[in-house]
Structures are given as structure tokens and as C-alpha cells.
Amino acid sequence: MEVLERAATLDLPGWDVAAGCLFQTVWNVVTDRPPTNGIKDYDIIYFDNGDLSWEAEDAVIKAGREIFADLSAEVEIRNEARVHLWYEDKFGVVCPPYESTEAAIDSFAATACCLGVRLETEGRWRVYAPHGLSDLFNLVLRPNPVLAPRSVYEAKSARWREEWPELTVLDWPSSATTTSSGV
């Protein structure tokens, strides 16, 4: 909650707390572990295509460092409008430019990972879960072969399975090919 509340003060366009810290918290609660078990960082993503320079994103990251400085948790802030600039170098596949934070979430490696939450006015929550929440609460990892390569899904699945052995990890579909047109 502290990360969500402080993230809201950054007033970033289309922001969400996303991915690991959310689904791993659910897995921890479902498996009776401490809520922060295995969580390495808290991801805040936003979408600002007005200035795609590293300097603009870095200014937001630095502002976030100040806001989150006294928390013991590591908070990473990233502009999803810039992902296409570095994705191929890191993962070996082309990522077309996203049109929104939601489009970025739609391309995460597993369906249970496709999750974003933000606080809106008057403390209301906004939850974005394009594949629903069943896999998440049932501890099922299902590949989402929209963008991430099979190797990324398999590496993440193996790492998560070590921490949460209760997970059911589904195989990458044999007919799936990673394309950049699915985003």
C-alpha cells in the first residue's frame, strides 16, 4: 500500500504498480508465506510518449528515488513508451512501440503476470488484468506468447517455481511463435 500511495503522488501518465510484486504477493498469501517473500522489487510502469529520451525517463526515476528513499523495498520505475528502444537488444526479438501501459502489460511473459494496479481518486483501485485472475489465484503459470521469447518464460518459470513449488507451470505451446504483431 505504501508503494501504491507514494506512486500516486508522482502523477505519472497511465501509471501502474505491475507484475512481480503483485502476483508474488498473491502467491505468498495463497501459500501462507509472508506477503513480501521472494519479492525482489516493486515495478512502477507508466506511459509517456511525449519525450522518449533516456534523460526524461531518468528524471522520473530520480524523482521516484527521493519519494521511496526511506522504504526498505527496491522500487523500479520505467516508461513503457521507451521499451521498443531497448527490448530487442535485451531479449532478441523486436518490440513494436506500445500505445499504452495496458498494451505493455498485455505482452508480459505469463498470463498471471499480466496485472497492473493503481490508486485513483478517493482511494479507489483500478485493476487491469486482461486474462482475469483465475490463473493467479490458482497458482497456474500459463505462457503468454505475444512477445516474450520462450526462453524468457521458461527462465522466469523456473526461478518462480524454486520459490513457489506449488505453482503449476504450463508448457510453451508448440504452435506458438513470438511475433511483434500481437501487441
Side-chain angles (χ1 to χ4, degrees), residues 27 33 139 141 154-170:
W27 293 344
R33 288 178 173 82
L139 304 172
L141 273 179
E154 290 176 347
K156 286 178 181 272
S157 296
R159 186 177 80 233
W160 295 331
R161 188 87 189 270
E162 286 180 20
E163 192 71 44
W164 296 275
E166 303 89 344
L167 291 173
T168 298
V169 178
L170 302 180

mmCIF file of all heavy atoms in Angstrom, residues 27 33 139 141 154-170:
data_model
loop_
_atom_site.group_PDB
_atom_site.id
_atom_site.type_symbol
_atom_site.label_atom_id
_atom_site.label_comp_id
_atom_site.label_asym_id
_atom_site.label_seq_id
_atom_site.Cartn_x
_atom_site.Cartn_y
_atom_site.Cartn_z
ATOM 1 N N TRP A 27 0.606 -15.044 -4.560
ATOM 2 C CA TRP A 27 1.111 -16.404 -4.340
ATOM 3 C C TRP A 27 1.515 -16.608 -2.888
ATOM 4 O O TRP A 27 1.272 -17.668 -2.304
ATOM 5 C CB TRP A 27 2.309 -16.686 -5.234
ATOM 6 C CG TRP A 27 2.018 -16.752 -6.693
ATOM 7 C CD1 TRP A 27 0.790 -16.882 -7.300
ATOM 8 C CD2 TRP A 27 2.966 -16.676 -7.753
ATOM 9 N NE1 TRP A 27 0.936 -16.888 -8.672
ATOM 10 C CE2 TRP A 27 2.263 -16.771 -8.975
ATOM 11 C CE3 TRP A 27 4.350 -16.539 -7.791
ATOM 12 C CZ2 TRP A 27 2.899 -16.735 -10.215
ATOM 13 C CZ3 TRP A 27 4.993 -16.503 -9.024
ATOM 14 C CH2 TRP A 27 4.271 -16.603 -10.218
ATOM 15 N N ARG A 33 2.693 -17.820 3.039
ATOM 16 C CA ARG A 33 4.028 -17.271 3.251
ATOM 17 C C ARG A 33 3.882 -15.806 3.647
ATOM 18 O O ARG A 33 2.853 -15.189 3.405
ATOM 19 C CB ARG A 33 4.842 -17.376 1.960
ATOM 20 C CG ARG A 33 5.267 -18.792 1.600
ATOM 21 C CD ARG A 33 6.032 -18.802 0.276
ATOM 22 N NE ARG A 33 6.601 -20.080 -0.042
ATOM 23 C CZ ARG A 33 5.934 -21.097 -0.604
ATOM 24 N NH1 ARG A 33 4.664 -20.970 -0.913
ATOM 25 N NH2 ARG A 33 6.547 -22.240 -0.861
ATOM 26 N N LEU A 139 -2.559 -20.489 -8.817
ATOM 27 C CA LEU A 139 -1.128 -20.794 -8.896
ATOM 28 C C LEU A 139 -0.756 -21.484 -10.207
ATOM 29 O O LEU A 139 0.060 -22.408 -10.229
ATOM 30 C CB LEU A 139 -0.685 -21.644 -7.702
ATOM 31 C CG LEU A 139 -0.978 -21.053 -6.315
ATOM 32 C CD1 LEU A 139 -0.677 -22.062 -5.228
ATOM 33 C CD2 LEU A 139 -0.192 -19.782 -6.089
ATOM 34 N N LEU A 141 0.871 -20.989 -13.971
ATOM 35 C CA LEU A 141 1.652 -20.167 -14.895
ATOM 36 C C LEU A 141 1.364 -20.656 -16.304
ATOM 37 O O LEU A 141 1.693 -21.778 -16.664
ATOM 38 C CB LEU A 141 3.147 -20.282 -14.615
ATOM 39 C CG LEU A 141 3.703 -19.340 -13.591
ATOM 40 C CD1 LEU A 141 5.186 -19.585 -13.392
ATOM 41 C CD2 LEU A 141 3.463 -17.900 -13.965
ATOM 42 N N GLU A 154 10.449 -19.550 -19.816
ATOM 43 C CA GLU A 154 10.977 -20.731 -19.136
ATOM 44 C C GLU A 154 11.950 -20.356 -18.021
ATOM 45 O O GLU A 154 11.942 -20.972 -16.962
ATOM 46 C CB GLU A 154 11.609 -21.682 -20.152
ATOM 47 C CG GLU A 154 10.537 -22.331 -21.021
ATOM 48 C CD GLU A 154 11.088 -23.217 -22.135
ATOM 49 O OE1 GLU A 154 12.307 -23.167 -22.422
ATOM 50 O OE2 GLU A 154 10.272 -23.955 -22.735
ATOM 51 N N ALA A 155 12.771 -19.345 -18.218
ATOM 52 C CA ALA A 155 13.703 -18.914 -17.177
ATOM 53 C C ALA A 155 12.947 -18.337 -15.977
ATOM 54 O O ALA A 155 13.249 -18.663 -14.820
ATOM 55 C CB ALA A 155 14.686 -17.885 -17.733
ATOM 56 N N LYS A 156 11.960 -17.491 -16.255
ATOM 57 C CA LYS A 156 11.176 -16.914 -15.164
ATOM 58 C C LYS A 156 10.390 -18.007 -14.436
ATOM 59 O O LYS A 156 10.345 -18.029 -13.201
ATOM 60 C CB LYS A 156 10.214 -15.844 -15.699
ATOM 61 C CG LYS A 156 10.913 -14.555 -16.091
ATOM 62 C CD LYS A 156 9.924 -13.541 -16.649
ATOM 63 C CE LYS A 156 10.601 -12.285 -17.071
ATOM 64 N NZ LYS A 156 10.736 -11.320 -15.990
ATOM 65 N N SER A 157 9.790 -18.911 -15.174
ATOM 66 C CA SER A 157 9.017 -20.001 -14.569
ATOM 67 C C SER A 157 9.891 -20.846 -13.657
ATOM 68 O O SER A 157 9.474 -21.201 -12.545
ATOM 69 C CB SER A 157 8.412 -20.895 -15.654
ATOM 70 O OG SER A 157 7.496 -20.178 -16.433
ATOM 71 N N ALA A 158 11.087 -21.178 -14.107
ATOM 72 C CA ALA A 158 11.995 -21.988 -13.295
ATOM 73 C C ALA A 158 12.370 -21.259 -12.008
ATOM 74 O O ALA A 158 12.375 -21.858 -10.922
ATOM 75 C CB ALA A 158 13.238 -22.339 -14.105
ATOM 76 N N ARG A 159 12.668 -19.970 -12.123
ATOM 77 C CA ARG A 159 13.036 -19.186 -10.940
ATOM 78 C C ARG A 159 11.860 -19.110 -9.958
ATOM 79 O O ARG A 159 12.027 -19.313 -8.755
ATOM 80 C CB ARG A 159 13.473 -17.785 -11.361
ATOM 81 C CG ARG A 159 14.014 -16.963 -10.194
ATOM 82 C CD ARG A 159 14.522 -15.604 -10.622
ATOM 83 N NE ARG A 159 13.390 -14.707 -10.785
ATOM 84 C CZ ARG A 159 13.134 -13.996 -11.876
ATOM 85 N NH1 ARG A 159 13.937 -14.055 -12.909
ATOM 86 N NH2 ARG A 159 12.098 -13.205 -11.945
ATOM 87 N N TRP A 160 10.670 -18.855 -10.469
ATOM 88 C CA TRP A 160 9.498 -18.742 -9.594
ATOM 89 C C TRP A 160 9.141 -20.088 -8.981
ATOM 90 O O TRP A 160 8.718 -20.158 -7.829
ATOM 91 C CB TRP A 160 8.314 -18.169 -10.357
ATOM 92 C CG TRP A 160 8.530 -16.757 -10.816
ATOM 93 C CD1 TRP A 160 9.304 -15.797 -10.225
ATOM 94 C CD2 TRP A 160 7.981 -16.150 -11.984
ATOM 95 N NE1 TRP A 160 9.263 -14.633 -10.946
ATOM 96 C CE2 TRP A 160 8.451 -14.808 -12.037
ATOM 97 C CE3 TRP A 160 7.145 -16.578 -12.995
ATOM 98 C CZ2 TRP A 160 8.101 -13.926 -13.038
ATOM 99 C CZ3 TRP A 160 6.791 -15.696 -14.000
ATOM 100 C CH2 TRP A 160 7.267 -14.390 -14.018
ATOM 101 N N ARG A 161 9.310 -21.153 -9.715
ATOM 102 C CA ARG A 161 8.977 -22.490 -9.206
ATOM 103 C C ARG A 161 9.887 -22.857 -8.032
ATOM 104 O O ARG A 161 9.470 -23.559 -7.123
ATOM 105 C CB ARG A 161 9.102 -23.507 -10.337
ATOM 106 C CG ARG A 161 8.595 -24.893 -9.972
ATOM 107 C CD ARG A 161 7.103 -24.966 -10.264
ATOM 108 N NE ARG A 161 6.487 -26.150 -9.774
ATOM 109 C CZ ARG A 161 6.372 -27.274 -10.456
ATOM 110 N NH1 ARG A 161 6.822 -27.366 -11.677
ATOM 111 N NH2 ARG A 161 5.771 -28.302 -9.915
ATOM 112 N N GLU A 162 11.132 -22.375 -8.054
ATOM 113 C CA GLU A 162 12.024 -22.624 -6.915
ATOM 114 C C GLU A 162 11.487 -21.959 -5.656
ATOM 115 O O GLU A 162 11.584 -22.518 -4.568
ATOM 116 C CB GLU A 162 13.432 -22.106 -7.223
ATOM 117 C CG GLU A 162 14.193 -22.972 -8.194
ATOM 118 C CD GLU A 162 15.584 -22.443 -8.489
ATOM 119 O OE1 GLU A 162 16.119 -21.644 -7.691
ATOM 120 O OE2 GLU A 162 16.136 -22.831 -9.529
ATOM 121 N N GLU A 163 10.941 -20.772 -5.793
ATOM 122 C CA GLU A 163 10.418 -20.026 -4.642
ATOM 123 C C GLU A 163 9.022 -20.497 -4.237
ATOM 124 O O GLU A 163 8.677 -20.514 -3.060
ATOM 125 C CB GLU A 163 10.385 -18.532 -4.991
ATOM 126 C CG GLU A 163 10.151 -17.633 -3.821
ATOM 127 C CD GLU A 163 11.342 -17.558 -2.887
ATOM 128 O OE1 GLU A 163 12.484 -17.447 -3.357
ATOM 129 O OE2 GLU A 163 11.109 -17.604 -1.659
ATOM 130 N N TRP A 164 8.215 -20.848 -5.232
ATOM 131 C CA TRP A 164 6.833 -21.285 -5.002
ATOM 132 C C TRP A 164 6.627 -22.639 -5.693
ATOM 133 O O TRP A 164 6.050 -22.707 -6.789
ATOM 134 C CB TRP A 164 5.837 -20.250 -5.546
ATOM 135 C CG TRP A 164 5.925 -18.940 -4.834
ATOM 136 C CD1 TRP A 164 5.294 -18.593 -3.667
ATOM 137 C CD2 TRP A 164 6.681 -17.784 -5.234
ATOM 138 N NE1 TRP A 164 5.626 -17.305 -3.318
ATOM 139 C CE2 TRP A 164 6.476 -16.781 -4.266
ATOM 140 C CE3 TRP A 164 7.522 -17.499 -6.314
ATOM 141 C CZ2 TRP A 164 7.073 -15.529 -4.343
ATOM 142 C CZ3 TRP A 164 8.128 -16.257 -6.387
ATOM 143 C CH2 TRP A 164 7.898 -15.287 -5.405
ATOM 144 N N PRO A 165 7.076 -23.740 -5.085
ATOM 145 C CA PRO A 165 6.982 -25.053 -5.728
ATOM 146 C C PRO A 165 5.537 -25.504 -5.977
ATOM 147 O O PRO A 165 5.311 -26.422 -6.763
ATOM 148 C CB PRO A 165 7.708 -25.993 -4.761
ATOM 149 C CG PRO A 165 7.826 -25.258 -3.477
ATOM 150 C CD PRO A 165 7.735 -23.791 -3.782
ATOM 151 N N GLU A 166 4.588 -24.841 -5.356
ATOM 152 C CA GLU A 166 3.180 -25.180 -5.566
ATOM 153 C C GLU A 166 2.668 -24.763 -6.943
ATOM 154 O O GLU A 166 1.579 -25.162 -7.356
ATOM 155 C CB GLU A 166 2.295 -24.495 -4.504
ATOM 156 C CG GLU A 166 2.656 -24.824 -3.076
ATOM 157 C CD GLU A 166 3.715 -23.882 -2.473
ATOM 158 O OE1 GLU A 166 4.400 -23.158 -3.218
ATOM 159 O OE2 GLU A 166 3.848 -23.889 -1.248
ATOM 160 N N LEU A 167 3.425 -23.957 -7.648
ATOM 161 C CA LEU A 167 2.992 -23.478 -8.966
ATOM 162 C C LEU A 167 2.842 -24.632 -9.958
ATOM 163 O O LEU A 167 3.669 -25.539 -9.985
ATOM 164 C CB LEU A 167 3.998 -22.477 -9.538
ATOM 165 C CG LEU A 167 4.109 -21.124 -8.862
ATOM 166 C CD1 LEU A 167 5.273 -20.335 -9.466
ATOM 167 C CD2 LEU A 167 2.817 -20.342 -9.004
ATOM 168 N N THR A 168 1.823 -24.542 -10.764
ATOM 169 C CA THR A 168 1.682 -25.423 -11.919
ATOM 170 C C THR A 168 2.165 -24.627 -13.115
ATOM 171 O O THR A 168 1.580 -23.601 -13.454
ATOM 172 C CB THR A 168 0.203 -25.837 -12.127
ATOM 173 O OG1 THR A 168 -0.229 -26.556 -10.974
ATOM 174 C CG2 THR A 168 0.037 -26.680 -13.381
ATOM 175 N N VAL A 169 3.247 -25.085 -13.727
ATOM 176 C CA VAL A 169 3.846 -24.378 -14.857
ATOM 177 C C VAL A 169 3.452 -25.097 -16.145
ATOM 178 O O VAL A 169 3.829 -26.250 -16.360
ATOM 179 C CB VAL A 169 5.381 -24.304 -14.723
ATOM 180 C CG1 VAL A 169 5.989 -23.609 -15.933
ATOM 181 C CG2 VAL A 169 5.763 -23.583 -13.432
ATOM 182 N N LEU A 170 2.689 -24.423 -16.971
ATOM 183 C CA LEU A 170 2.270 -24.995 -18.243
ATOM 184 C C LEU A 170 3.346 -24.774 -19.300
ATOM 185 O O LEU A 170 4.025 -23.744 -19.303
ATOM 186 C CB LEU A 170 0.946 -24.376 -18.693
ATOM 187 C CG LEU A 170 -0.222 -24.526 -17.706
ATOM 188 C CD1 LEU A 170 -1.469 -23.864 -18.264
ATOM 189 C CD2 LEU A 170 -0.484 -25.987 -17.373
#
